[in-house]
Amino acid sequence: MFSKILGKKNKTEQVLSSMDTYSKQKRYEALVQAYHKDLYRYGYWLTSDGQVAEDLVQETFLRAWRSLDSLKEEKAAKSWLITILRRENARRFERKQFDLVDIEDQEIADHHSSTNEQNIEDKWLRKRIGELEPEYKEPLIMQIIGGYSGEEIAKELGLNKNTVMTRLFRARNMLKDALDSTKKKARVI
Amino acid sequence: MDELEFRRKVIATPNSKDKDLLKALEGDIKKQNFVSEMQAFDADIEKAMKVPVPEDLCARLMLNQSFDQEKMVSKTKQRWSMAIAASIAFTAAIGLSSFMYEENPYQQSVSEYALEHIYHELGHTDTVDENINLNQVNAKLASFGGQLSANIGHVYYAKFCQVAGKKSLHLVVESEQGKVTVFILPKSDKLEDWSDFSDDKYSGTTQRFTSADLIVIADKSTNGNNKALLDVQERLEQNLIWTI
């Protein structure tokens, strides 16, 4: 009787339990493989800091592991993970401990990239995207990195669809205008 | 669909398969060109957003899960052990509870944490040189209530980190025997066993202050019999002032 109470399982239960854990683990690993890059990138654009993005992704996947049973459909996995990530990001600001994140605006450069690989427009675009106000930036990254539709973005952010469409419109318009005016300047020279 | 609504829809959602949108494109070259242009621009944006991802992130995420798995298992065992121990101790021998008590899953040994942290950042922190000046170091130390009254040597790296759920200030400083890593942590009860430690590659030492705790680690191959460790530890001790 005491074995049961102490959490020890009989042989059959042990086998079933390790099979459960094994399949849970396989499921978790598949999620990590499929989505860790998108999640990192989402976090990167959300926080403008590669290191913070890494920490966020680690926290996100840890929470995902712990509540994996609540994910019913694999096709809902990506948005489920993004929801967790956004929640974890919100928690960062709620913590009462001293703020450990350096919020330097030019900290957009991450220490993993090499300038040889990026072409000029990539770098320029990244800077402009980073400079977008959060209310325009987040719907854009949700759409492009998250693959969300207008309705899905509206639901996640608690906004009405028209507002979301306006923000997406403005975000791209701002990027396009900036690009066009830069090109014009180049031609004049 | 009027011109304005068309433009707004295409710019907001360039890859939309909306029926009304597709209908508006039929036989209209100008509109089709506009859509192509916006789709091409969107492809550029998507490419730009795909910043490089740290190569070892995937592996670390897999590893974290297995660490957590072990913590969960001992947590369940501990809950039941505590329930029984509490009731027995209440009615009979008090000593029984100390036998039943397993490792607190929230505690981690200092050596385990320190080694986990340094391995976690290998490949970056051992090669980088950001040449941090004293003011910059002090700006970060300020959050611990500490200040360095003088230079402690060349600082290659100084950043806040979070590893194994614990936040720290991670410094890499020079010594005659090579680079030395220093972790400065806020006081907490999450780490136990503050003593010297080592594994095949590193050796480390610890120091506890009223306002913060220090862990100093050096590569064994360049450490010269712990000289680097003691050297840096002494420099910190002599120059650290605590204001809290």
Side-chain angles (χ1 to χ4, degrees), chain A residues 127-155:
Chain A
K127 195 150 191 284
R128 294 280 100 77
I129 297 169
E131 287 168 0
L132 287 173
E133 293 293 325
E135 60 255 32
Y136 298 119
K137 190 167 44 166
E138 192 163 15
L140 194 66
I141 60 181
M142 222 174 241
Q143 184 187 46
I144 297 181
I145 298 180
Y148 286 48
S149 70
E151 285 94 359
E152 288 165 346
I153 298 173
K155 194 161 176 244

Coordinates of all heavy atoms in Angstrom, one line a residue, chain A residues 127-155:
Chain A
K127 N 16.4 47.2 -40.1 CA 16.5 48.4 -39.2 C 15.1 49.1 -39.2 O 14.6 49.5 -38.2 CB 17.6 49.4 -39.8 CG 18.0 50.5 -38.8 CD 19.4 50.9 -39.0 CE 19.8 51.8 -37.9 NZ 19.3 53.2 -38.0
R128 N 14.6 49.2 -40.5 CA 13.3 49.9 -40.6 C 12.2 49.1 -39.8 O 11.3 49.7 -39.2 CB 12.8 50.1 -42.0 CG 13.7 51.0 -42.8 CD 13.4 52.5 -42.6 NE 14.3 53.1 -41.7 CZ 15.6 53.5 -42.0 NH1 16.1 53.3 -43.2 NH2 16.3 54.1 -41.1
I129 N 12.1 47.8 -39.9 CA 11.2 47.0 -39.3 C 11.3 47.2 -37.8 O 10.3 47.4 -37.0 CB 11.3 45.5 -39.6 CG1 11.0 45.3 -41.1 CG2 10.3 44.7 -38.8 CD1 11.4 43.9 -41.6
G130 N 12.6 47.2 -37.3 CA 12.8 47.4 -35.9 C 12.3 48.7 -35.4 O 12.0 48.8 -34.2
E131 N 12.3 49.7 -36.3 CA 11.9 51.0 -35.8 C 10.4 51.2 -35.8 O 9.9 52.3 -35.3 CB 12.6 52.1 -36.8 CG 14.1 52.2 -36.5 CD 14.7 53.0 -37.6 OE1 14.1 53.5 -38.6 OE2 16.0 53.2 -37.5
L132 N 9.7 50.3 -36.4 CA 8.2 50.4 -36.4 C 7.7 50.5 -34.9 O 8.2 49.8 -34.1 CB 7.5 49.3 -37.1 CG 7.7 49.2 -38.6 CD1 7.1 47.9 -39.1 CD2 6.9 50.4 -39.3
E133 N 6.6 51.2 -34.7 CA 6.0 51.3 -33.4 C 5.4 49.9 -33.1 O 4.9 49.2 -34.0 CB 4.9 52.3 -33.3 CG 5.4 53.7 -33.5 CD 6.1 54.2 -32.2 OE1 5.8 53.7 -31.1 OE2 7.1 54.9 -32.4
P134 N 5.4 49.5 -31.8 CA 4.9 48.1 -31.5 C 3.5 47.8 -32.0 O 3.3 46.7 -32.5 CB 4.9 48.1 -29.9 CG 5.9 49.1 -29.6 CD 5.9 50.2 -30.6
E135 N 2.6 48.8 -32.1 CA 1.3 48.4 -32.5 C 1.2 48.2 -34.0 O 0.3 47.5 -34.5 CB 0.2 49.5 -32.2 CG 0.5 50.9 -32.8 CD 1.1 51.8 -31.7 OE1 1.8 51.4 -30.8 OE2 0.8 53.0 -31.8
Y136 N 2.2 48.6 -34.8 CA 2.3 48.3 -36.2 C 3.2 47.1 -36.4 O 2.9 46.2 -37.3 CB 2.8 49.5 -37.0 CG 1.9 50.7 -36.9 CD1 2.3 51.9 -36.4 CD2 0.6 50.6 -37.3 CE1 1.5 53.0 -36.3 CE2 -0.3 51.6 -37.2 CZ 0.2 52.8 -36.7 OH -0.7 53.9 -36.6
K137 N 4.2 47.0 -35.6 CA 5.2 45.9 -35.8 C 4.6 44.5 -35.4 O 4.8 43.6 -36.2 CB 6.4 46.2 -34.9 CG 7.6 45.2 -35.2 CD 8.9 45.7 -34.6 CE 8.9 46.2 -33.2 NZ 10.2 46.2 -32.6
E138 N 3.9 44.5 -34.3 CA 3.5 43.1 -33.9 C 2.5 42.5 -34.8 O 2.6 41.3 -35.2 CB 2.9 43.1 -32.4 CG 2.8 41.7 -32.0 CD 2.7 41.4 -30.6 OE1 2.4 42.3 -29.8 OE2 2.8 40.2 -30.2
P139 N 1.4 43.2 -35.3 CA 0.6 42.5 -36.3 C 1.3 42.1 -37.5 O 1.0 41.0 -38.1 CB -0.4 43.6 -36.7 CG -0.5 44.6 -35.5 CD 0.9 44.6 -35.0
L140 N 2.4 42.8 -37.9 CA 3.1 42.4 -39.1 C 3.9 41.2 -38.9 O 3.9 40.2 -39.7 CB 4.1 43.6 -39.5 CG 4.7 43.5 -40.9 CD1 3.7 43.6 -42.0 CD2 5.8 44.5 -41.1
I141 N 4.6 41.1 -37.7 CA 5.3 39.8 -37.4 C 4.4 38.7 -37.2 O 4.7 37.5 -37.5 CB 6.4 39.9 -36.3 CG1 5.8 40.3 -35.0 CG2 7.5 40.9 -36.7 CD1 6.8 40.5 -33.9
M142 N 3.2 39.0 -36.6 CA 2.3 37.9 -36.4 C 1.8 37.3 -37.8 O 1.6 36.1 -38.0 CB 1.0 38.5 -35.7 CG 0.5 37.6 -34.6 SD -0.8 38.4 -33.7 CE 0.0 38.3 -32.1
Q143 N 1.6 38.3 -38.7 CA 1.2 37.8 -40.1 C 2.3 37.1 -40.8 O 2.1 36.0 -41.3 CB 0.8 39.1 -40.9 CG 0.2 38.7 -42.2 CD 0.0 40.0 -43.0 OE1 0.8 40.9 -43.1 NE2 -1.2 40.1 -43.7
I144 N 3.5 37.7 -40.8 CA 4.6 37.1 -41.6 C 5.3 35.9 -41.0 O 5.5 34.9 -41.6 CB 5.6 38.2 -42.0 CG1 4.8 39.2 -42.9 CG2 6.8 37.6 -42.8 CD1 5.7 40.4 -43.4
I145 N 5.7 36.1 -39.7 CA 6.4 35.0 -39.0 C 5.4 34.0 -38.5 O 5.6 32.8 -38.5 CB 7.3 35.5 -37.9 CG1 8.4 36.4 -38.5 CG2 7.9 34.3 -37.1 CD1 9.3 36.9 -37.4
G146 N 4.3 34.5 -37.9 CA 3.3 33.6 -37.3 C 2.4 33.0 -38.3 O 1.8 31.9 -38.1
G147 N 2.3 33.6 -39.5 CA 1.4 33.0 -40.5 C -0.1 33.2 -40.2 O -1.0 32.5 -40.7
Y148 N -0.4 34.2 -39.3 CA -1.8 34.4 -38.9 C -2.5 35.2 -40.0 O -2.0 36.0 -40.7 CB -1.8 35.3 -37.6 CG -1.4 34.6 -36.3 CD1 -0.3 33.9 -36.2 CD2 -2.2 34.8 -35.2 CE1 0.1 33.3 -35.0 CE2 -1.9 34.3 -34.0 CZ -0.7 33.5 -33.9 OH -0.4 33.0 -32.7
S149 N -3.9 34.9 -40.1 CA -4.7 35.7 -40.9 C -5.2 37.0 -40.2 O -5.0 37.1 -39.0 CB -6.0 34.9 -41.3 OG -6.8 34.8 -40.2
G150 N -5.8 37.9 -40.9 CA -6.3 39.1 -40.3 C -7.2 38.8 -39.1 O -7.1 39.4 -38.0
E151 N -8.1 37.8 -39.3 CA -9.1 37.5 -38.2 C -8.3 36.9 -37.0 O -8.6 37.2 -35.9 CB -10.1 36.4 -38.7 CG -11.1 36.9 -39.6 CD -10.8 36.8 -41.1 OE1 -9.7 36.3 -41.4 OE2 -11.6 37.1 -41.9
E152 N -7.3 36.1 -37.3 CA -6.6 35.4 -36.2 C -5.8 36.5 -35.4 O -5.7 36.4 -34.2 CB -5.6 34.3 -36.8 CG -6.4 33.1 -37.2 CD -5.6 32.2 -38.1 OE1 -4.5 32.6 -38.6 OE2 -6.0 31.0 -38.3
I153 N -5.2 37.4 -36.1 CA -4.5 38.5 -35.4 C -5.4 39.3 -34.5 O -5.1 39.6 -33.4 CB -3.8 39.4 -36.4 CG1 -2.8 38.7 -37.3 CG2 -3.1 40.6 -35.7 CD1 -2.2 39.5 -38.4
A154 N -6.6 39.6 -35.1 CA -7.6 40.3 -34.3 C -8.0 39.6 -33.0 O -8.0 40.2 -32.0 CB -8.8 40.6 -35.2
K155 N -8.1 38.3 -33.2 CA -8.5 37.5 -32.0 C -7.4 37.5 -30.9 O -7.6 37.7 -29.8 CB -8.8 36.1 -32.5 CG -9.5 35.2 -31.5 CD -10.2 34.0 -32.1 CE -10.8 33.1 -31.0 NZ -10.1 31.8 -30.9

